[in-house]
Amino acid sequence: MKLNYIKLYFCLTFSGLTLLGVVELYLSYQLNTLEKELKARSIQNERDKKAAAVRRSLKAEEIKKHQAEQAKFRAIEQERINNARRINDETCQFWTGEYSEIKSERNKLMMDGACERARND
């Protein structure tokens, strides 16, 4: 059997080129897949950053709202205390006036009680 070296050459060359083409296609597919995965991760990272920023913003708003509610509560409580003090002072002044007009034991007891409450505030 006689070997035809030209046919063998072409056959091996064609097989080698075909193999190189297949490897090139496989590598380009892998590269394309990796690029898509990187892009997907990048998009997910951006979404995560935006979500974290939104969460921080909501948390800051919640804290501000809570602080405003606390300030409002403290203002109302302080107003209540101031009103109680004012009423105690007015009551003391009233009974002091009553006692200065009518020197009775009842007026003296009421004046002492009212003025004691006013001093303790």
Side-chain angles (χ1 to χ4, degrees), residues 11-29:
C11 184
L12 290 176
T13 304
F14 181 71
S15 297
L17 290 176
T18 304
L19 182 62
L20 284 175
V22 169
V23 168
E24 180 69 26
L25 284 174
Y26 175 74
L27 290 177
S28 73
Y29 170 78

Side-chain angles (χ1 to χ4, degrees), residues 30-120:
Q30 288 293 334
L31 181 63
N32 191 14
T33 303
L34 289 174
E35 286 174 349
K36 286 180 182 178
E37 186 177 324
L38 278 173
K39 187 174 182 179
R41 285 184 184 177
S42 174
I43 290 171
Q44 186 61 41
N45 286 342
E46 287 297 317
R47 287 180 183 162
D48 291 346
K49 287 178 185 177
K50 288 178 183 178
V54 168
R55 282 192 297 272
R56 283 191 303 272
S57 174
L58 290 174
K59 184 69 172 174
E61 288 176 17
E62 184 179 320
I63 289 171
K64 286 179 185 178
K65 183 179 177 182
H66 180 69
Q67 289 172 342
E69 289 173 356
Q70 289 294 322
K72 184 178 178 181
F73 175 76
R74 284 190 299 273
I76 290 171
E77 185 65 18
Q78 189 60 45
E79 183 180 346
R80 187 189 66 77
I81 291 169
N82 290 342
N83 283 338
R85 287 178 179 160
R86 181 183 50 77
I87 290 170
N88 285 340
D89 290 341
E90 289 174 0
T91 305
C92 177
Q93 290 172 0
F94 172 78
W95 285 111
T96 301
E98 288 293 311
Y99 182 70
S100 67
E101 289 178 14
I102 305 170
K103 304 269 187 201
S104 71
E105 187 63 30
R106 178 179 182 274
N107 287 350
K108 171 101 170 97
L109 287 172
M110 295 300 278
M111 179 189 73
D112 289 343
C115 291
E116 180 70 24
R117 282 192 303 277
R119 280 191 298 272
N120 289 338

